[in-house]
Amino acid sequence: MDTTQYKDVYVFCEQREGVIQSVALELLGKARELADTLNEKVVAILLGKDIKAKAQDLIAAGADKVLVVDNDVLKYYLTEPYTQAITQIISEQKPSILMIGATTIGRDLGPRLSARVCTGLTADCTKLEIGEERELLMTRPAFGGNLMATIVCKNHRPQMSTVRPGVMKKMTPDAARKGEIVDYQIAFNQEKIGRVRLLNTVKEDKGMIDISDAKILVSGGRGVGSAEGFKKLEDLAAVLNAQVSSSRACVDAGIIDHSRQVGQTGKTVRPDLYIACGISGAIQHLAGMEESEFIVAINKDKFAPIFNVADVGIVGDVNKILPLLTERLKGMME
Amino acid sequence: MKIVVCIKQVPDTTEVKINPQTGTLIREGVPSIMNPDDKGGLELALQLKDKYGAHVTVITMGLPQAEDILREALAMGVDRAILLTDRKLGGADTLATSNALAGALRNIEHDLIITGRQAIDGDTAQVGPQIAEHLDLPQVSYLENLEYDGKKTFTIRKQTEEGYQMLEVDAPCLVTVLAPAFKARYMSVSGIVEAYGREVEVWGADKIDVADEKIGKAGSPTSVAKAFPKSLKPAGEQYDVDPEQAVGIIVSKLKEKFII
């Protein structure tokens, strides 16, 4: 493969029901940085139905060009039509880099696409940089978050990576940015698309809060113990205008929904303040929160690994300290 | 119905520790287990066997010792176990792994292929969808439930961030499964005893019809440029004080940082 024919940084910009997902804007911010280093363009891929009006938002977030594919088969995400659309774009446009958000959609689409166009895909990158030979250096946690590995995709294009929501930073949107919006036509293979049929989509109230958007998280672990213990976290969260999150232990115990789980198999968060209550700090948990701006940890075990990443570590009983802290803060806020 | 489940032997990453002096992994004594999501997939297959009388095959690609998880699967109740092992397959990234497994799966009858969503040692969630592509099968990932009409159609519940989707899918297809949706059964005592008498078929690369340049290291578009221990920021201050004092410290630190 002649890799020199491939250029520009492409971003698959995920939308759901016409709403551009935050991760798409985060990826555009990173793509802008990479493209400036390479002196190339940022191209956004926007797939959906009646979606073109959103293209300008992608330009404001860093794109130079938006390829819009507007089609009934793209209204809701399904693997096959989305794979077909991007495959045709890749074969015609020859991107050097393609970035995809590591959501349930991106993690379904990315591998299918990589196998179809026969290139490499690096999952859940936490760092993306351009190397000396203009190659993409993709760094990700390996071995359950115990090690970091930098992956390259030397002889295949595009260089594909997925990035989890909350890892990269968005640009401040600039409504004055200029860019090109292109209507892109795809020759869909309807027969293949017809093998999977969407019957219905059901939304469940899972607390409906995206903890990766929260500025302050009060997070509970095994040391909090029970639903009753979590009530104390909720009281503190209410005073701080924060959200409650959790480690895996409490999700497995059925105390709190998976959507509020921080860590390797949950969400990656980087709030301004993360208060870890009774969380020992398994590597899988640390992987999801150690980028937080300021970390307060409260734990009975003074050797708990959470103290290695905490800015302030308190050795003590969360069940005693939290109510006092809530009271004190309440008094100050009044 | 013929079902094939792809499983993987992985180090139990929750047991992995870091040497604080050198920052390197301590691998000694880390137990190997059947990957949890794969075990969930196996449970789904066995439930379908109980319900519809399906024939269940498990396959794993790995080192010879991966036979252990195949024995475990036999003891849980599968009908056939295949170990795909060959030096030629080593050093594979996800694409090369999926090429090899797809090659093997072409030689095994299937109406349904089940994989775990992701393995705990790599967390990529790529191999399942990549196999589906190589075999030109429709895929559904993040499966929470599956019903079969007994003929040619599966009705599948797929987890999403907001809730779930209901999908109707033609057989044959490939699904990837979440461990929490299917709590795996235990091996039965008679199953364990029997499992050690039963055959685990061992396949080499010659059993699969895939070109050498598509498997192993040669077939891997990605490679590791470097691996390094995670740099942790220096730990902050630790206070072992009574609750009143602790609250005072937290409040003053939050003020200092302008958080409150």
Side-chain angles (χ1 to χ4, degrees):
Chain A
M1 170 179 276
D2 180 6
T3 57
T4 59
Q5 286 189 15
Y6 288 75
K7 69 176 171 58
D8 297 334
V9 183
Y10 281 58
V11 177
F12 165 65
C13 292
E14 183 181 327
Q15 56 85 18
R16 297 184 187 196
E17 294 177 42
V19 179
I20 302 288
Q21 299 297 292
S22 184
V23 68
L25 306 177
E26 293 161 17
L27 294 185
L28 286 171
K30 184 42 126 180
R32 180 75 265 154
E33 237 179 86
L34 298 173
D36 288 345
T37 309
L38 291 163
N39 200 18
E40 291 180 358
K41 288 199 167 81
V42 174
V43 182
I45 299 173
L46 180 57
L47 311 181
K49 179 65 192 157
D50 301 324
I51 194 72
K52 196 175 173 182
K54 300 287 175 186
Q56 187 56 45
D57 295 349
L58 304 180
I59 292 170
D64 298 303
K65 197 201 263 190
V66 184
L67 307 181
V68 183
V69 186
D70 195 280
N71 198 296
D72 287 331
V73 297
L74 301 173
K75 183 166 185 192
Y76 300 101
Y77 172 79
L78 284 170
T79 315
E80 187 56 33
Y82 273 64
T83 305
Q84 288 183 16
I86 302 175
T87 300
Q88 189 184 322
I89 289 172
I90 290 173
S91 69
E92 291 171 356
Q93 302 299 318
K94 299 193 177 353
S96 173
I97 294 172
L98 173 61
M99 293 155 68
I100 297 174
T103 59
T104 56
I105 288 178
R107 287 165 69 90
D108 183 82
L109 173 67
R112 185 87 196 197
L113 200 53
S114 78
R116 191 162 296 181
V117 303
C118 195
T119 190
L121 171 64
T122 306
D124 297 348
C125 299
T126 51
K127 197 170 168 192
L128 295 169
E129 303 158 284
I130 301 299
E132 283 172 10
E133 289 160 33
R134 298 170 65 80
E135 79 280 27
L136 183 63
L137 302 176
M138 300 171 273
T139 301
R140 71 181 303 263
F143 221 69
N146 295 284
L147 272 181
M148 301 301 288
T150 301
I151 312 286
V152 290
C153 178
K154 273 191 187 147
N155 303 316
H156 293 74
R157 293 292 180 273
Q159 305 163 90
M160 284 176 55
S161 69
T162 66
V163 179
R164 293 174 69 163
V167 172
M168 301 297 174
K169 281 197 170 151
K170 297 175 202 179
M171 281 174 43
T172 310
D174 175 3
R177 277 197 61 166
K178 294 271 178 289
E180 189 187 350
I181 298 170
V182 180
D183 285 309
Y184 212 92
Q185 298 304 319
I186 300 293
F188 286 105
N189 174 340
Q190 296 289 353
E191 195 195 327
K192 269 181 97 157
I193 290 172
R195 298 188 299 186
V196 177
R197 299 165 294 277
L198 177 63
L199 301 176
N200 59 334
T201 302
V202 178
K203 286 193 186 173
E204 285 176 322
D205 182 10
K206 293 184 175 179
M208 273 304 130
I209 287 293
D210 187 354
I211 54 166
S212 44
D213 286 340
K215 293 279 177 221
I216 301 179
L217 284 172
V218 180
S219 203
R222 209 182 291 273
V224 175
S226 59
E228 202 176 292
F230 264 83
K231 182 74 185 48
K232 298 190 180 85
L233 271 65
E234 282 162 23
D235 292 344
L236 176 60
V239 178
L240 286 168
N241 198 17
Q243 291 297 332
V244 173
S245 58
S246 132
S247 72
R248 181 169 175 176
C250 302
V251 175
D252 288 348
I255 296 169
I256 191 164
D257 187 79
H258 174 73
S259 62
R260 289 181 184 261
Q261 183 188 329
V262 172
Q264 190 94 12
T265 51
K267 289 193 166 138
T268 304
V269 298
R270 50 175 358 160
D272 295 339
L273 172 62
Y274 189 89
I275 306 180
C277 308
I279 294 177
S280 65
I283 284 159
Q284 288 81 0
H285 184 77
L286 301 184
M289 50 64 76
E290 66 192 341
E291 297 294 321
S292 303
E293 284 301 318
F294 197 74
I295 299 169
V296 176
I298 306 168
N299 201 299
K300 271 184 186 169
D301 172 12
K302 69 175 177 177
F303 298 113
I306 190 77
F307 289 125
N308 294 330
V309 300
D311 297 281
V312 176
I314 304 288
V315 182
D317 182 352
V318 284
N319 290 307
K320 286 186 185 141
I321 294 170
L322 287 185
L324 286 173
L325 182 58
T326 305
E327 277 311 305
R328 179 81 65 92
L329 290 170
K330 222 185 241 170
M332 289 170 56
M333 303 291 181
E334 273 161 12
Chain B
M1 178 168 41
K2 304 268 190 196
I3 304 174
V4 187
V5 188
C6 301
I7 62 177
K8 185 182 185 187
Q9 188 179 46
V10 294
D12 187 350
T13 52
T14 57
E15 298 289 324
V16 171
K17 303 263 183 324
I18 298 278
N19 179 330
Q21 268 80 46
T22 59
T24 53
L25 288 176
I26 303 169
R27 290 171 191 255
E28 290 82 43
V30 177
S32 288
I33 55 170
M34 189 189 307
N35 180 54
D37 279 343
D38 303 354
K39 207 167 183 174
L42 183 53
E43 175 59 32
L44 166 63
L46 293 171
Q47 286 178 10
L48 293 170
K49 179 179 173 172
D50 295 344
K51 208 163 159 187
Y52 303 105
H55 179 277
V56 181
T57 302
V58 280
I59 182 167
T60 189
M61 178 174 127
L63 298 169
Q65 59 261 36
E67 187 186 326
D68 291 351
I69 57 167
L70 295 173
R71 297 268 170 219
E72 185 181 349
L74 284 167
M76 284 168 69
V78 305
D79 301 294
R80 185 184 179 197
I82 300 167
L83 171 62
L84 179 60
T85 185
D86 199 308
R87 280 175 188 278
K88 277 186 180 173
L89 303 173
D93 72 358
T94 62
L95 193 66
T97 300
S98 64
N99 274 322
L101 282 168
L105 288 160
R106 283 191 193 98
N107 297 329
I108 310 167
E109 241 187 290
H110 54 259
D111 302 295
L112 176 65
I113 297 174
I114 301 174
T115 73
R117 169 196 45 172
Q118 64 191 37
I120 56 172
D121 58 346
D123 288 311
T124 70
Q126 291 175 6
V127 173
Q130 287 173 335
I131 291 172
E133 174 61 21
H134 300 313
L135 298 177
D136 190 24
L137 297 178
Q139 81 191 42
V140 177
S141 50
Y142 291 82
L143 176 142
E144 289 182 321
N145 188 37
L146 177 143
E147 303 283 336
Y148 181 48
D149 72 350
K151 294 188 287 281
K152 273 287 164 202
T153 310
F154 297 107
T155 305
I156 292 172
R157 177 175 153 140
K158 172 194 167 88
Q159 187 191 76
T160 64
E161 279 89 346
E162 295 91 7
Y164 62 92
Q165 285 182 329
M166 295 303 297
L167 299 160
E168 202 177 79
V169 185
D170 293 346
C173 75
L174 181 146
V175 298
T176 84
V177 168
L178 299 165
F182 302 96
K183 190 167 165 28
R185 66 193 62 193
Y186 293 106
M187 298 179 274
S188 69
V189 175
S190 61
I192 295 170
V193 175
E194 249 179 60
Y196 281 85
R198 288 169 66 189
E199 187 198 6
V200 167
E201 297 171 45
V202 180
W203 291 13
D206 57 339
K207 278 283 275 189
I208 59 171
D209 186 22
V210 182
D212 279 358
E213 64 265 22
K214 291 205 160 214
I215 54 174
K217 206 167 164 50
S220 300
T222 63
S223 54
V224 177
K226 63 171 176 173
F228 50 96
K230 205 165 196 171
S231 60
L232 291 174
K233 64 175 186 180
E237 291 153 275
Q238 197 180 50
Y239 305 90
D240 196 346
V241 293
D242 70 47
E244 279 291 349
Q245 284 173 295
V247 167
I249 290 163
I250 295 172
V251 169
S252 72
K253 288 283 178 188
L254 296 187
K255 272 187 185 162
E256 212 176 279
K257 296 283 166 189
F258 302 106
I259 293 168
I260 53 170

